[in-house]
Structure formats: structure tokens, C-alpha cells
Amino acid sequence: MGAYAIPEGRGALVEYHARSKHRLNRYAAGPGRLDWANQPNPFREFAGAPRFALAFDADALLVRYNEVRRGALPPARPLSRETLSTLLELSLALSAWKESGSARWALRCNPSSGNLHPTEGYIACPSLGGLPAGVYHYLSRDHVLEQRAKIVEREWSEAFHGSGVFAGLSTIHWREAWKYGMRAWRYCQHDAGHAIAAIAYAAAAMGWATRMADGYSDEDIAAILGLDRLEDFHGAEGETPDVLLWVGEPSSMPAPQPLVAAAHGGEWQGRANRLSERHVEWHDIDAVHLATLKPRTYPESIPRPARPALGADPRLDLPFATIARRRRSAVDFDGFTRMAADAFHTMLEPLMPSSDAPPWNALAAPARVHPLVMVHRVEDYEPGLYILLRDGAARAPLERSMGREWLWERRGPASLPLYFLLPYDLRDVAQLICCHQHIASDACFAMGMLAHFGDALDEPWRYRALFRECGMLGQVLYLEAEAAGLRATGVGCYFDDEMHHLAGLKDDAWQSLYHFTVGAPVEDGRLLTRPPYAR
Ligand SMILES: Cc1cc2nc3c(=O)[nH]c(=O)nc-3n(C[C@H](O)[C@H](O)[C@H](O)COP(=O)(O)O)c2cc1C
């Protein structure tokens, strides 16, 4: 396995990052107006691929959110078609249908910018109870697996060692670009991060550890999931590989070579459907995609500093299945609810990396993203700017880049590396930064996510990983807010450099790659909610 050497895509990456920024006087290039007649179909399906119906058993899963969030996993369930059904039902499945007048749209356990859902899910597994060895595409609309490939049982099962399965993710950029133009590529990466976290949580609820196959190249993932089979995507939008997540015993994750070889020898079936009649080419997206292709690398394995396990919080003692399916984005916050300080701490604690608790058990890499929190309404907290340092080693480089005389005063419990930087009422500033959206000022707190952009310049594929890490942080906040009786919303629309000015950043070494808001939601009573599946 060769170590990665020349970061060829650096120029294209820097250019994309600058050009995809929203600026106060100019938004990043978008389609201008929405071509509704050409709206992409949110559901990919493979005509001709045999379907395997999945069970609806998630209601029977009694595991509590309180246990899952702190990594106190139940005994591992055997891997089978039934248990994979539950994994998918609580991660990538539909969670409800919404109706307003004649409009009807599905929501899913995993969120997506503009509800456009560019992320596709796959399972690659050896022969399990009720599921032959193969590669399967997950069609969330029907909660079925489409068998993309039958693989020679012996080769495949040997490679898997019988100790786990791969959940795979891919992206269809066009779904998101249809609405958001060139900035859409960023949202696609966030969405993948949310989906990774959604899978890691649901796996934990089944007693399974999850670990990202971070040594695999994009080419490996494409081969294993069949994304490189141009003949199966003829006339349809292609899918780019994101990640493979090993669900099972982390130390027995297979190496890529035997899986790639077995996949190439598989019997592939199914033709991808076309999602839109017409397409607009977004060359910036193609360029950044090419610039950030991932080669094979040495898997990362950084020992994490020991952290005390999260305590059991009786307020969060709800079934995991309820929280996973009830997760929603707030469309409005009430603008007056104040969060209790201990609820604030409880919500920030699981943002810290952990070796055992989801979703961070899926990542062996060090934390490279740090929440910059604009506190508006938290009891005992002075309004102002705070930073949660997810890796203490980041403090010195951050201080050098931020350059100002920030206070850097510790706040909150000793277990939480939360620092107070600046006392100020930031409600108007937060709203301005978040493209004038009220959710940023009416929330209890809003946050930016400062990522070490310098890492991406050295190894361009890390640019994608940074956005995904942001998405994973976002998924933690979504579930935590829901469990606490509040609600969160991801914010992809923000003026990048306004946030950097607020943080006093003097250079590009750190960039805010995602924003989030948490508060007391105001429901939109005009919408009807229907069950996700007619059963
Ligand atoms: C990457 C990302 C960016 C988002 N950006 C915004 C935003 O700027 N403003 C907003 O109101 N909602 C935003 N959302 C929320 C989505 O609109 C929401 O997830 C989607 O409509 C699906 O609804 P649900 O989250 O309730 O399932 C974002 C979500 C994601 C995942």
C-alpha cells in the first residue's frame, strides 16, 4: 500500500473553496432560478436488480438513547437480513411523509440540505441469514435491498472473515447542484457525514462497532459498490464513492485487494434510473471532485486521550428508535427559550471524540474540527463567543491564526474544554453570518465549525473528510437536541468570511465549514405528517 505523495489537486481545491464561498455582496454561483420540471428524482433504483424486502422491526428495539450516546452498547445482535433491516430503518430509511396542499415529500432519518438527498446507501456482505453474498443498493422509498451483484460465495466470505459487513455511501452531485449550483458539492460532503453518523448510531444500538475504512481508495470503493460500471449507469447520473463503513469487529476489517478482485468477478445486475431529463454541468464540482480523489493510504490510528465516559442522564432515557426517527430540522425557533446550563453541557459533551461512543467510534483520525459557539440564551452563560476545543493540540495554532486578545477563559465542567473568548450579544451577527436566517438569532446558540484547512492543502482528499466530520458533529447535535426536547438545524448557507472576521482569523489555515443552530422549535402547523411506510 503506497503512501500518498504529491498533492496534485491543491490549486483546484483552493480555487473551489474561494469560489464556493457565499459573500455579502455575491452568493456562490447557483442556477439562478429553479427548473422545477427537471427536479431530480430523490430515489435511485436499479431496474432488473432482484429485490430483497426488509423487515420493519425497529419498534421492537428497546435500547435507550441514553445508553447508545455514551457507548454502553447492548450485546451484539447476530448479523442477518433482519438485523440489517433495523440498521437501515434507523439510519437511512424514511421517517415520515409530509404534505402541504398537493405537495408531498419524504423525510428521512438522515437530514439533507434542501431535503435533496444526494447520498445513496449500499451493503456489501458475505452470505448472512436470509441474504446471499453480494452487493446491495438500499432503496429507502420501499425499504428494500436491490441486489446489484451476486459474488462468488467462497472468495467473498473469506475476505469478510465472517465478522462484519460493509455499509457503503456514494453521492449523486446533480441532486444537490440542481438547486445549489457549485456550493452543492460542500453540502454533499456534509450529507455524507450525517449519514455516516446515522449509521454509526444505529449500529451501536444493535451492539455493533463501526469503523471507517480510511485506508481504501475511491477506486476501491467504486469497484466494490459497482459505481465504476459505466454500462449500468448509461444515460443516468453517475455516483461518486464516499466511504465504506465496517460494521463489526474493528480489528478484523478486510484489506481492499481481495474484495476488489471478488467484486470484479461478480455477476452484476440492474440499470440505474435517470433522475432528471436535462442537466446543467457544474465544472467547479467536477474539478474539485477530481482534485480530492482519495488514493489508498495507511489507515489512521491515533491513540485518543482517555476521556471519562458520559454519565447516564435520566432526561435522555428514551428509546433510541424514537429519537432516530423523530429527528427533524427546526424551521423556526421561538426566540425566547433559555437552555439550562447543564443541558448545554450535556449536549456539548458527545461532540468530543470518543473511542467507544458513536459516531466517533467510526473515526480513527484525530479531531480536526472545533465548534465556535455563539451563545445567545443559555442560563448562567454570558452571551458571546465560545470555542469547544476537541483536540487540545489545536489551541496553539488556533491562537496564532486568531491572533486577537481573546479571553480564553475556561467555562463549564472540567471534562469539557470549553473556552469563553468574547462577551457580546451576537444574535444579529449570527443572523447576518447565516445568510440573514432568523434561526441563527432566535436559537439558544448558533455555531460555526472551524476546520484545519491546512491539512486539506497537504492531502487534498482530506478536504472532503473535513466536511464529513462537520456533518457528523451536526448529526450529534440533531439527536441530542431532539432528546433534550429542543431541536437543531444544519446551516449550509452562511457568509464564510464574515465568520472568519468574527473569529479574528488572519489567514486561511482555519476555515468555518458548516454552521448549526439549536433552540426551542416553533412547529409549522400547516403541514400534515403521514407514516413513512404503508404497512
Ligand atoms: C448540509 C445541510 C445544510 C442545511 N442548510 C440549511 C440552511 O441553511 N437553512 C435551513 O433552514 N435548513 C438547512 N438545512 C436543513 C434541511 O433543510 C433539512 O435537513 C431538510 O429539509 C430535511 O428535513 P429534516 O432535517 O427535518 O429531515 C440543512 C441541512 C443540511 C444537512
Side-chain angles (χ1 to χ4, degrees):
M1 215 186 280
Y4 184 67
I6 311 155
E8 285 172 0
R10 188 182 303 184
L13 185 162
V14 171
E15 195 182 333
Y16 173 81
H17 188 66
R19 280 162 54 77
S20 61
K21 283 182 177 178
H22 281 331
R23 299 174 194 276
L24 273 177
N25 60 351
R26 182 171 44 82
Y27 284 84
R33 66 173 187 88
L34 287 186
D35 181 2
W36 287 108
N38 212 29
Q39 182 176 12
N41 181 340
F43 300 110
R44 159 110 319 150
E45 49 194 313
F46 288 89
R51 290 184 167 200
F52 289 72
L54 296 175
F56 292 95
D57 284 344
D59 285 329
L61 187 71
L62 300 177
V63 179
R64 318 301 284 179
Y65 176 68
N66 206 356
E67 301 299 308
V68 174
R69 71 188 282 278
R70 61 197 194 98
L73 309 192
R77 302 283 183 96
L79 283 160
S80 69
R81 180 163 161 187
E82 274 68 37
T83 52
L84 286 180
S85 302
T86 308
L87 174 76
L88 291 164
E89 199 184 346
L90 295 179
S91 56
L92 304 183
L94 306 190
S95 55
W97 282 92
K98 291 279 177 184
E99 284 177 21
S100 173
S102 59
R104 188 168 184 265
W105 62 97
L107 298 180
R108 307 189 195 185
C109 296
N110 56 319
S112 166
S113 178
N115 201 30
L116 295 162
H117 288 286
T119 310
E120 294 293 326
Y122 288 83
I123 296 288
C125 60
S127 169
L128 302 173
L131 215 51
V135 179
Y136 297 82
H137 169 253
Y138 178 60
L139 175 54
S140 61
R141 185 194 61 206
D142 304 338
H143 191 50
V144 298
L145 286 173
E146 300 177 305
Q147 191 186 43
R148 284 281 287 128
K150 291 185 204 163
I151 311 273
V152 180
E153 169 77 48
R154 191 178 42 78
E155 291 175 21
W156 200 238
S157 295
E158 268 173 24
F160 274 95
H161 316 300
S163 57
V165 303
F166 270 125
L169 297 175
S170 70
T171 289
I172 305 175
H173 292 131
W174 164 246
R175 280 222 185 95
E176 202 71 28
W178 167 76
K179 182 168 182 189
Y180 295 115
M182 70 174 297
R183 196 172 163 97
W185 182 88
R186 295 179 175 212
Y187 303 159
C188 291
Q189 315 309 315
H190 291 137
D191 281 12
H194 280 283
I196 291 168
I199 291 171
Y201 272 110
M206 307 294 289
W208 303 328
T210 304
R211 179 59 61 87
M212 188 182 297
D214 60 0
Y216 281 51
S217 67
D218 282 340
E219 221 175 305
D220 293 330
I221 301 173
I224 292 166
L225 301 183
L227 312 178
D228 58 354
R229 297 181 49 81
L230 299 183
E231 61 273 41
D232 298 348
F233 290 86
H234 186 68
E237 300 76 2
E239 297 179 24
T240 58
D242 287 321
V243 292
L244 288 180
L245 297 171
W246 178 243
V247 178
E249 169 49 43
S251 61
S252 62
M253 187 195 300
Q257 295 90 333
L259 290 184
V260 170
H264 278 151
E267 188 187 320
W268 291 82
Q269 42 204 358
R271 291 282 296 262
N273 60 339
R274 188 180 171 106
L275 307 176
S276 289
E277 273 307 305
R278 294 180 304 280
H279 301 101
V280 177
E281 296 300 325
W282 289 97
H283 297 294
D284 292 287
I285 291 185
D286 298 340
V288 70
H289 169 66
L290 284 179
T292 56
L293 285 175
K294 185 180 178 300
R296 273 190 197 161
T297 48
Y298 291 107
E300 284 197 282
S301 177
I302 310 290
R304 293 224 164 99
R307 283 187 52 74
L310 299 185
D313 187 329
R315 289 166 303 186
L316 307 179
D317 191 23
L318 297 151
F320 169 75
T322 304
I323 298 298
R325 288 184 292 192
R326 212 174 65 190
R327 181 216 61 78
R328 296 279 183 283
S329 296
V331 285
D332 262 323
F333 293 120
D334 66 12
F336 59 82
T337 296
R338 296 177 70 77
M339 251 181 111
D342 59 347
F344 181 55
H345 303 147
T346 300
M347 198 172 286
L348 296 185
E349 287 275 9
L351 297 178
M352 295 301 293
S354 148
S355 307
D356 310 313
W360 308 114
N361 60 353
L363 280 193
R368 293 188 166 96
V369 181
H370 309 275
L372 202 49
V373 191
M374 291 171 264
V375 170
H376 304 326
R377 297 175 191 84
V378 180
E379 296 292 350
D380 306 330
Y381 269 75
E382 203 171 337
L385 191 63
Y386 295 74
I387 190 164
L388 180 67
L389 271 194
R390 296 179 64 239
D391 178 357
R395 175 155 175 186
L398 263 169
E399 281 202 71
R400 271 198 303 279
S401 284
M402 292 169 102
R404 290 220 187 123
E405 296 305 312
W406 296 123
L407 293 174
W408 285 99
E409 286 174 8
R410 260 320 258 276
R411 287 289 190 277
S415 57
L416 202 61
L418 180 67
Y419 294 85
F420 185 34
L421 300 179
L422 163 79
Y424 203 78
D425 179 347
L426 291 168
R427 285 175 297 174
D428 291 346
V429 178
Q431 184 176 328
L432 173 95
I433 290 174
C434 292
C435 299
H436 312 287
Q437 300 183 78
H438 288 271
I439 45 171
S441 49
D442 292 340
C444 297
F445 66 88
M447 74 165 57
M449 298 188 191
L450 273 190
H452 195 232
F453 191 61
D455 282 346
L457 298 183
D458 291 340
E459 293 169 306
W461 51 270
R462 284 199 193 282
Y463 187 45
R464 284 158 59 195
L466 292 176
F467 282 106
R468 290 197 303 249
E469 190 173 332
C470 293
M472 292 173 72
L473 285 165
Q475 192 68 8
V476 176
L477 287 171
Y478 266 125
L479 298 188
E480 287 288 311
E482 206 66 55
L486 296 170
R487 198 152 267 182
T489 300
V491 175
C493 189
Y494 60 91
F495 298 117
D496 303 58
D497 288 339
E498 299 315 307
M499 186 65 189
H500 303 145
H501 291 152
L502 172 66
L505 292 167
K506 293 183 298 190
D507 53 39
D508 289 344
W510 296 87
Q511 297 280 288
S512 186
L513 296 187
Y514 195 19
H515 282 230
F516 239 79
T517 55
V518 173
V522 178
E523 301 287 350
D524 184 344
R526 294 167 302 178
L527 301 186
L528 287 177
T529 305
R530 306 272 183 221
Y533 299 98
R535 284 187 275 151

